[in-house]
Amino acid sequence: MGDDFKQMKEQVQAGEAEKLKELIKKALASKVAPMEIIEKALRPAMEEVGQKFETLEIFLPEMIMAADAMAAGVEILRPLLAAAGGEKKVGRVVLGTVSGDVHRIGKDIVRIMLEGAGFDVTDAGHDVPDDTFLAKVKELKPDILGLSALMTTTMQNIPRVIEALKAEGLRGKVKVIVGGAPVLSDWAKQIGSDGYGENAVQAVSVSKKLVG
């Protein structure tokens, strides 16, 4: 199966979702375990994509294509993993774009990268009211709450969510990571977040450290 896993990795990195799905279906028909496909093909492929993005060997369009291909492959495997008792997760994350902000592409890439790294991710969506974040934290008890903002006018809603967590006695129960185009590392520290991701790769790295 080594060659098959190699081909899957190549199709993820090339953003070839349909070809990847065919390879996965072929492997499943040959009784390859869904978890083995993730661990030996999909996850390593996205790790390499992340490394190449960090070193500027590839750029955002290629990363999005790879992330979309990865997501297509995971969709085939997810029900099989659930039926088999599920994949062992690194940690649980609730992710969303704050109130007033309808941007979603960056958040969606972070979600796919986190899932590829083994996190159980609940996507709260975009333009998420503060109360919804609080409700998700209470209900799901995540290890991490990820808050995204893509505009300077909406990034001010990030510290508002953090303050709301404090008011509800939840701040000590969840780590908060923040990101988005206008968000900077120093500002993230000033507002009391636990971590900052300049991009999806860093968001995964920070999340791993927080649950490690």
Side-chain angles (χ1 to χ4, degrees), residues 20 56 67 76 87 89 99 109 114 120-121 134-135 140 160 166 203:
L20 174 65
L56 302 181
I76 294 175
E87 177 186 0
K89 295 297 182 180
S99 176
I109 295 172
L114 284 169
D120 178 10
V121 183
L134 297 179
L140 300 173
R160 194 176 69 196
K166 292 178 182 178

Side-chain angles (χ1 to χ4, degrees), residues 180-202:
V183 179
L184 299 175
S185 178
D186 287 346
W187 184 80
K189 292 177 183 176
Q190 289 172 13
I191 64 171
S193 71
D194 298 294
Y196 159 75
E198 183 179 0
N199 53 50
V201 176
Q202 287 190 10

Side-chain angles (χ1 to χ4, degrees), residues 64-79:
I64 292 174
M65 289 175 64
D68 285 344
M70 165 81 177
V74 170
E75 280 304 308
I76 294 175
L77 299 172
R78 183 172 284 127

Side-chain angles (χ1 to χ4, degrees), residues 53-106:
F53 181 74
E54 285 274 81
T55 56
L56 302 181
E57 293 177 59
I58 64 170
F59 299 95
L60 188 58
E62 292 93 337
M63 186 174 175
I64 292 174
M65 289 175 64
D68 285 344
M70 165 81 177
V74 170
E75 280 304 308
I76 294 175
L77 299 172
R78 183 172 284 127
L80 301 174
L81 289 166
E87 177 186 0
K88 184 179 179 181
K89 295 297 182 180
V90 175
R92 175 172 287 177
V93 180
V94 169
L95 191 66
T97 307
V98 294
S99 176
D101 201 318
V102 298
H103 295 85
R104 58 185 299 174
I105 292 178

Side-chain angles (χ1 to χ4, degrees), residues 158-176:
I158 293 178
R160 194 176 69 196
V161 175
I162 293 175
E163 290 304 313
L165 289 169
K166 292 178 182 178
E168 291 290 321
L170 298 170
R171 184 63 186 91
K173 299 178 181 180
V174 64
K175 301 293 185 182
V176 177

